[in-house]
Amino acid sequence: MNCLLVGAGAIAPEYAAGLPESSLSLAGVVDLDADRAAALAADHGCPSFADIETALERVDAPLVVNLTSHAAHAAVTRTALEADRHVYSQKPLALDADEARALVSLARDRGLALGCAPGTPRAPSQRRAGRLLADGRLGPVGLGYAHAHVGRVTDWHDRPDSFLEIGPLYDGAVYPIALLVSWFGPVERVRVADALDVWPAREERRPSTPSHVEATLAFAAGPTVRLTASFYAPHRSREFYGLELHGDDGSLYLRGTGAMDDDRDHVRFGRVGREYVSAPPDAPEEPYEYVDAVERLAASVEAGSPSRAGGRRGAHVVAVCNAIEAAAEGDGPVAVDDCGATADPPPAPVVRPGKQIGGETEPGPRALRLPSVGFGCSRYRDGEYVERADSIATALDAGYRLLDSAELYGNEHRIGELLAAPGAPDRERVFLLGKAWRTNHRREHLLAACAGSREELGIDAFDCYALHWPSALEHRGELTRLAEEPVERQEALTFPEDADGELATDDVSLATAWENLEAVHDRGWARTLGICNVSRAQLETVLEAGEVDPALVQVERHPYHPQNGLVEFCHERGIRVVAHSPLSAPGLLDEPVLGEIAADRGLSPAEVVVAWNASQGVVPIPSSTSEPHVVSNLAAGSERLTADETARVDALRDPDFER
């Protein structure tokens, strides 16, 4: 779709830079400064104009992108709408709420699309924070603190006059307000507000409106938020566009409500009684570009449903700013018109248990959708059993959404307590993998084991229930809460010995064990079934003998033991592969090639191994116990190695592991 840029100031090149990679094309540039318009137009091979009326007459551009100065936005948008052009406007939509509402009405009456910046609620870190809210991590949200420290515009902008005329509300506060409205819906009223004219005496150019504003906003369906917007507080202060939300069950911190870039520490979560933990991206995120919101608006037009949701939200943001000004003048509390603005639909779960989909890194047209990285809950580390409750809680707080549990680990009740505690993610947002131990392959024991594990975890059904190993051992008793038994008793129950001190096996074939596992599925106790530690031949046995195909295979996988043939076999059949012990091979993390790739990418060797798995559609389940490693392993799931890097890691294969 052709678009016309109106306004060629500092922000215009940022919008224009994204056009070549979008579905949009630049048909013309307008600016009152003819030289500035001509310079930008020359860079993009299109005509330039010094007035919008001439441009609208001469250019075939259904969409106008309004990048003029703040005070000119409303007039330019009205001119474009009256010429039957769709409009995307920089913020604010207008400076007066009545005028903003009138623009929305005009767009509606003419069947035109109307969008308004900021579009950053769809930027990576903001979307990640939104997923935490949608996960139910905070519970009901009661309070929030938002900052918009725009800073001394006379220091950092070459043409600050437009900013000085309108103040920090309409340029800076719009970022946290728009984001909060996207999450919670409209502001109901401004409870109280105050405004200050603080400014350095040495400055010749001064704001013509208050330079510092504070207000308390009450959202109709959410928190009460204290908002600070300032030209006086520098944007290099501790809080630039920071937002902190506090709920009954936990707290969320977002580094920047207007940020377009992303970082693993931009979002942090702390459940009640626990410290904040970074919640990094766990899958590749597309960077946010200015043109993204314009392209979405154009897509709504091409689909035959011109969107005005952004216009309605923009109008409501203006109404909020107007109400803050009125409250600061002593009129508070001040009711705020919702202008038809609504919250965005909550993000879909990262995990959809049992859903069959395809995808670039989710091999096979029927493969389960899983997160890039899961968390191993085994208690056995470095030759001894350790308590895992704290590290599992940290993993949940960081954002892991696949937990690898098993009755062998003896801590299912601990996991259940964590999942039931305030601040835990909603059940449908977590993929739970459970495993029956080798002593429970007979049907009655397997059913009892699954029932016991479900009770310990407090769940109705597993997302996947698997055989921990393909071969059976003699049953010597129930394995409930192994962690509470003496180590000798644990070993006797899980690795029973015969009179000669050898493992006491049970005469249950793999085909029979799988048939018994299918009984769990038939009862609705597991949405899907899986099998662990199998060879390709054993997997083929299951595929031939069973009526329910495995949806998931878990095997040891790391660069020394990549099992690429088995992985490829599984992916061709829509079976997801989960890699246990991805970092545990002795000496692996000291390999020079991992260090070289890590140095090139700014990662650790462990993160390279996690990314190596994720890049091939395999879900690694590291089981780290330190918070930094828990966070960094999850963040590595957002990295994807190149084909060359993958080949270099694959070359580490050690034939000794294949024996």
Side-chain angles (χ1 to χ4, degrees):
M1 178 181 292
N2 283 344
C3 62
L4 175 70
L5 291 191
V6 182
I11 199 67
E14 301 289 346
Y15 276 86
L19 291 173
E21 303 299 323
S22 76
S23 60
L24 304 172
S25 55
L26 186 57
V29 179
V30 182
D31 197 282
L32 295 176
D33 184 331
D35 291 338
R36 189 162 66 171
L40 181 59
D43 289 340
H44 295 274
C46 64
S48 65
F49 304 89
D51 66 275
I52 186 173
E53 289 81 8
T54 301
L56 291 171
E57 289 177 3
R58 297 184 181 179
V59 172
D60 179 17
L63 175 59
V64 168
V65 182
N66 182 357
L67 306 179
T68 56
S69 61
H70 304 85
H73 287 169
V76 170
T77 294
R78 175 171 289 280
T79 297
L81 291 173
E82 289 177 342
D84 288 323
R85 309 299 173 95
H86 308 284
V87 178
Y88 182 84
S89 173
Q90 252 296 345
K91 40 80 180 173
L93 185 63
L95 297 179
D96 177 78
D98 289 337
E99 192 168 26
R101 284 190 293 268
L103 292 174
V104 176
S105 296
L106 177 60
R108 183 194 62 227
D109 293 344
R110 290 178 175 259
L112 297 170
L114 178 60
C116 183
T120 44
R122 295 185 65 89
S125 59
Q126 292 88 323
R127 287 173 62 84
R128 194 160 75 254
R131 284 195 292 269
L132 285 174
L133 284 171
D135 280 357
R137 304 306 311 276
L138 275 65
V141 180
L143 292 175
Y145 304 91
H147 298 83
H149 291 165
V150 182
R152 316 279 172 79
V153 291
T154 49
D155 290 341
W156 58 263
H157 202 283
D158 61 344
R159 297 190 180 191
D161 293 344
S162 175
F163 295 83
L164 296 175
E165 290 171 3
I166 57 108
L169 278 179
Y170 296 93
D171 183 75
V174 296
Y175 288 105
I177 295 172
L179 181 62
L180 289 164
V181 171
S182 78
W183 287 344
F184 299 105
V187 175
E188 185 176 53
R189 66 187 183 281
V190 176
R191 292 171 56 89
V192 65
D194 194 9
L196 303 175
D197 289 317
V198 58
W199 198 250
R202 65 177 180 273
E203 290 279 356
E204 294 183 4
R205 291 181 293 185
R206 306 178 63 85
S208 53
T209 59
S211 61
H212 183 93
V213 180
E214 297 193 4
T216 303
L217 313 179
F219 286 78
T224 297
V225 177
R226 187 189 70 192
L227 170 70
T228 301
S230 184
F231 279 167
Y232 185 79
H235 64 271
R236 296 179 182 86
S237 60
R238 184 176 63 87
E239 290 291 357
F240 179 23
Y241 278 108
L243 171 66
E244 193 167 25
L245 296 175
H246 302 287
D248 291 0
D249 301 335
S251 299
L252 169 70
Y253 177 73
L254 174 64
R255 182 73 180 90
T257 56
M260 296 175 64
D261 60 347
D262 198 10
D263 185 89
R264 66 178 57 181
D265 295 322
H266 276 190
V267 180
R268 296 175 65 82
F269 170 77
R271 71 169 74 189
V272 170
R274 293 181 61 85
E275 298 294 327
Y276 274 106
V277 175
S278 291
D282 64 344
E285 291 271 12
E286 289 294 326
Y288 178 79
E289 305 285 349
Y290 281 105
V291 76
D292 289 351
V294 184
E295 191 171 23
R296 283 195 300 275
L297 191 72
S300 76
V301 173
E302 292 175 341
S305 302
S307 174
R308 289 175 288 276
R312 292 192 294 269
R313 181 176 299 165
H316 177 62
V317 170
V318 174
V320 173
C321 294
N322 285 182
I324 291 172
E325 290 176 325
E329 292 173 358
D331 295 339
V334 178
V336 183
D337 185 353
D338 64 21
C339 300
T342 58
D344 291 338
V350 174
V351 176
R352 291 179 182 169
K355 185 174 178 60
Q356 306 293 314
I357 69 166
E360 181 181 351
T361 60
E362 293 160 352
R366 297 170 53 250
L368 280 174
R369 182 181 184 184
L370 300 177
S372 297
V373 182
F375 194 69
C377 301
S378 171
R379 294 182 301 119
Y380 194 71
R381 292 181 58 84
D382 301 324
E384 63 180 30
Y385 293 104
V386 298
E387 173 58 59
R388 295 300 310 283
D390 186 68
S391 59
I392 295 170
T394 299
L396 286 171
D397 290 353
Y400 283 84
R401 291 299 176 266
L402 186 156
L403 296 184
D404 172 68
S405 69
E407 61 173 343
L408 175 70
Y409 304 157
N411 56 4
E412 290 170 315
H413 64 295
R414 299 284 195 190
I415 298 172
E417 291 168 356
L418 291 171
L419 291 174
D426 293 340
R427 169 66 188 95
E428 66 271 16
R429 303 270 171 169
V430 180
F431 190 98
L432 284 177
L433 169 61
K435 301 188 288 291
W437 184 237
R438 303 170 67 181
T439 57
N440 288 324
H441 280 200
R442 292 187 179 274
R443 178 169 299 205
E444 65 273 18
H445 298 147
L446 199 151
L447 290 172
C450 184
S453 293
R454 288 168 49 241
E455 182 177 357
E456 294 284 68
L457 289 163
I459 61 174
D460 295 325
F462 282 97
D463 300 306
C464 184
Y465 195 63
L467 296 177
H468 207 145
W469 283 83
S471 57
L473 299 177
E474 280 189 8
H475 181 81
R476 295 286 176 86
E478 293 183 357
L479 306 182
T480 305
R481 300 201 178 187
L482 277 174
E484 298 177 357
E485 299 287 345
V487 172
E488 294 79 6
R489 176 63 175 164
Q490 295 181 41
E491 298 289 343
L493 287 171
T494 55
F495 295 97
E497 296 180 353
D498 59 21
D500 298 324
E502 301 293 331
L503 282 178
T505 60
D506 197 3
D507 185 22
V508 181
S509 69
L510 177 55
T512 299
W514 186 261
E515 180 183 345
N516 294 339
L517 188 70
E518 289 180 340
V520 170
H521 185 270
D522 293 342
R523 284 167 170 74
W525 295 355
R527 297 184 175 97
T528 62
L529 300 179
I531 189 165
C532 309
N533 301 299
V534 289
S535 65
R536 173 170 169 171
Q538 290 168 325
L539 180 55
E540 287 176 335
T541 295
V542 169
L543 289 168
E544 292 171 2
E547 294 184 5
V548 179
D549 286 348
L552 180 151
V553 164
Q554 181 184 118
V555 291
E556 179 182 4
R557 186 179 194 262
H558 45 72
Y560 290 160
H561 189 41
Q563 303 209 60
N564 288 335
L566 178 61
V567 170
E568 183 179 354
F569 179 82
C570 289
H571 286 177
E572 289 173 350
R573 288 153 182 80
I575 301 171
R576 294 308 304 271
V577 179
V578 172
H580 74 71
S581 310
L583 307 174
S584 301
L588 173 63
L589 301 184
D590 296 324
E591 287 286 352
V593 68
L594 297 180
E596 292 166 5
I597 296 173
D600 290 342
R601 285 180 161 265
L603 303 173
S604 69
E607 289 173 284
V608 172
V609 175
V610 171
W612 169 76
N613 272 296
S615 298
Q616 299 173 79
V618 175
V619 181
I621 50 169
S623 56
S624 301
T625 55
S626 72
E627 179 183 319
H629 290 161
V630 169
V631 172
S632 64
N633 288 338
L634 181 62
S638 66
E639 302 286 340
R640 293 295 180 266
L641 301 189
T642 65
D644 177 68
E645 290 168 334
T646 298
R648 291 168 64 193
V649 176
D650 282 345
L652 294 174
R653 176 181 172 274
D654 185 346
D656 287 341
F657 274 92
E658 308 295 333
R659 296 171 185 168

